[in-house]
Amino acid sequence: MSKVLAVNCGSSSLKFQLFEMNTESVITSGIIERIGMEDSIFTIKYNGTKDKKVFAVPTHKEAVQVLLDTLIEKKIVEHLDEIKGIGHRVVQGGPYFDGSCVVDDDVIAKIDELSPLAPLHNPAHIIGIKAFKEAIPTAGAVVVFDTAFHHSIKPENAVYPIPYKFYEENKIRKYGAHGTSHYYVSKRTQELLGNPEHANIILCHLGAGASLCAVKDGKSIDTSMGLTPLAGVMMATRSGDIDASVVDHLIENLGYDMKTVFKMLNKESGLLGVSGVSGDMRDIIDAKDAGNQRAELAFNMFRKRVADYIGSYFVELGHVDAISFTAGIGENSFIAREAIINLIKEALGIVLDDKANVEGHGERLISAPESKIKVFVVPTDEELVIARDTKELLNL
């Protein structure tokens, strides 16, 4: 049997899923959160049970050891060498990687070189890669890049309208993010459409981080995130697109320094910054319904910005066969989905099936038969993409 561990090391977390690849079944899954704090949280699901513990996990290296010790302790595996491959999600692959690849020293060096473009993630990915290699030296390692799916974006969509030398010499361009999710959901949406030879799809990956993607015949042609995940629609705590002069105004006229401004744009803006309540859409909706006007403003700004991107991608694609919602908000908030669709339904001829939208669960069609565009909810499965690529590249 071929076991593959799919790993996603965040800035303070380690998510994992262990697959039996012959059947693509999940043996165990979970997450270690709040790494580096005294009250780290370790949650693991296996054999139909869920265990949760709170204790100090000082570093990612120790988080890896906690996970592997637990796999043995709970007899999820008898020996660690049963795990033949480890697939690592990496946020930023820059201009170097247009697909997944087997890890070597050069790959690690390039991931490290690209850390300024994903400072919260790429360094954590490297720690995770090295820690797992040290713990299970017999397991092959593969990296799967969130930016790889977007390498097909046309130059007119990828290059910024600043002096061209910065693109030529410094590779400053749109790289996008959530590519692993967009790839999976676009492929699954095409299957739900009956696998037509040609398909135009708009993907809405809406969670704490949010991005949209226009897909034509299986290839990304545009996406909302840019050089970094700060661009695009407003998110839980990220601003999304703003006038660049706002940054200059905050620094030159209001006395803020650059680090403070970018911390604000990444961690104190978006839904949280506008509402003053929370970056969680569930809290925003509750506050809005209770009469909080700033929460209502935040909600309306979010849905309008998503709708604006859908509209622009519709024009770029020429016609759209399907729109798919995924990730935390996209999969779970029927209120957010309905609010977004309400802004575009007249222009695009969309008719929602209210019962399917509100009462349905999991993967499903939520548009009515008379709708000109099919609308789906498709739960994403980035870990399965990682595991499949790992199995293929390692010939497991």
Side-chain angles (χ1 to χ4, degrees):
M1 293 194 297
S2 176
K3 293 185 175 69
V4 168
L5 186 64
V7 175
N8 181 354
C9 280
S11 57
S12 62
S13 65
L14 189 160
K15 289 175 65 179
F16 61 90
Q17 282 194 30
L18 180 64
F19 289 87
E20 170 47 61
M21 291 309 296
N22 292 344
T23 58
E24 293 190 342
S25 56
V26 178
I27 301 169
T28 185
S29 64
I31 184 170
I32 303 175
E33 303 172 88
R34 298 169 65 86
I35 295 171
M37 304 184 75
E38 292 296 317
D39 56 346
S40 306
I41 305 169
F42 179 28
T43 305
I44 185 168
K45 301 176 185 177
Y46 66 102
N47 292 336
T49 64
K50 179 179 176 180
D51 286 353
K52 185 175 180 179
K53 294 181 180 179
V54 179
F55 57 98
V57 182
T59 68
H60 282 80
K61 184 175 181 178
E62 286 164 292
V64 169
Q65 199 58 54
V66 166
L67 168 58
L68 297 179
D69 289 345
T70 302
L71 295 180
I72 296 293
E73 174 192 324
K74 297 187 180 297
K75 300 188 183 305
I76 296 169
V77 297
E78 292 293 329
H79 305 284
L80 291 179
D81 59 11
E82 292 176 30
I83 301 172
K84 302 302 182 184
I86 301 172
H88 299 267
R89 176 208 179 205
V90 176
V91 166
Q92 180 57 258
Y96 299 122
F97 304 102
D98 60 1
S100 304
C101 62
V102 176
V103 174
D104 60 22
D105 290 342
D106 182 61
V107 169
I108 291 176
K110 285 183 168 63
I111 294 171
D112 184 43
E113 178 188 332
L114 294 165
S115 289
L117 300 183
L120 299 180
H121 294 91
N122 273 32
H125 299 323
I126 293 171
I127 293 169
I129 291 166
K130 290 181 176 179
F132 275 103
K133 189 61 181 175
E134 183 178 334
I136 318 178
T138 56
V142 165
V143 282
V144 179
F145 296 93
D146 260 3
T147 50
F149 183 57
H150 301 305
H151 265 251
S152 54
I153 291 176
K154 298 177 290 186
E156 56 264 40
N157 289 337
V159 177
Y160 289 114
I162 58 177
Y164 193 70
K165 66 176 183 179
F166 293 111
Y167 171 66
E168 284 189 306
E169 299 172 12
N170 308 107
K171 306 305 179 188
I172 293 176
R173 52 157 284 176
K174 176 186 286 190
Y175 289 111
H178 296 141
T180 309
S181 173
H182 286 310
Y183 166 75
Y184 175 84
V185 176
S186 65
K187 187 174 181 182
R188 184 64 193 132
T189 302
Q190 190 143 341
E191 291 170 353
L192 292 170
L193 290 171
N195 282 318
E197 182 179 356
H198 302 289
N200 290 349
I201 299 167
I202 296 175
L203 307 171
C204 304
H205 179 110
L206 307 180
S211 70
L212 284 82
C213 184
V215 174
K216 187 176 188 66
D217 298 338
K219 294 184 180 294
S220 171
I221 64 166
D222 205 355
T223 192
S224 58
M225 285 181 169
L227 177 71
T228 75
L230 183 57
V233 298
M234 68 186 287
M235 305 170 223
T237 64
R238 297 184 191 129
S239 65
D241 296 338
I242 62 168
D243 181 346
S245 294
V246 171
V247 175
D248 179 70
H249 181 70
L250 289 169
I251 294 170
E252 293 298 324
N253 299 320
L254 300 183
Y256 289 88
D257 63 78
M258 183 68 78
K259 286 187 177 181
T260 299
V261 170
F262 273 88
K263 179 186 175 185
M264 177 190 74
L265 294 175
N266 276 285
K267 296 187 175 183
E268 300 166 5
S269 299
L271 293 172
L272 173 63
V274 175
S275 73
V277 172
S278 172
D280 191 307
M281 180 59 77
R282 292 165 295 189
D283 297 334
I284 295 295
I285 291 172
D286 288 344
K288 171 182 73 72
D289 292 345
N292 186 310
Q293 293 184 343
R294 281 177 56 186
E296 183 174 9
L297 174 62
F299 180 83
N300 288 335
M301 289 171 64
F302 177 84
R303 71 170 183 150
K304 184 181 185 301
R305 280 156 176 72
V306 173
D308 286 348
Y309 267 98
I310 293 174
S312 69
Y313 290 166
F314 178 89
V315 171
E316 183 167 7
L317 289 165
H319 79 275
V320 172
D321 299 293
I323 297 171
S324 285
F325 289 90
T326 193
I329 298 169
E331 293 172 28
N332 300 310
S333 179
F334 70 87
I335 295 173
R337 289 193 301 265
E338 180 183 31
I340 292 164
I341 293 298
N342 280 344
L343 291 179
I344 60 174
K345 63 182 183 181
E346 182 177 353
L348 304 189
I350 297 174
V351 181
L352 269 188
D353 179 335
D354 292 331
K355 184 178 177 69
N357 183 46
V358 175
E359 299 179 13
H361 298 282
E363 182 181 280
R364 62 197 187 278
L365 178 70
I366 62 169
S367 55
E370 64 269 28
S371 182
K372 292 182 179 179
I373 297 173
K374 293 183 183 296
V375 182
F376 295 99
V377 173
V378 180
T380 191
D381 199 339
E382 295 161 289
E383 288 78 12
L384 181 57
V385 174
I386 293 168
R388 285 173 173 170
D389 281 8
T390 301
K391 179 184 178 182
E392 180 181 353
L393 287 168
L394 295 177
N395 296 311
L396 299 177

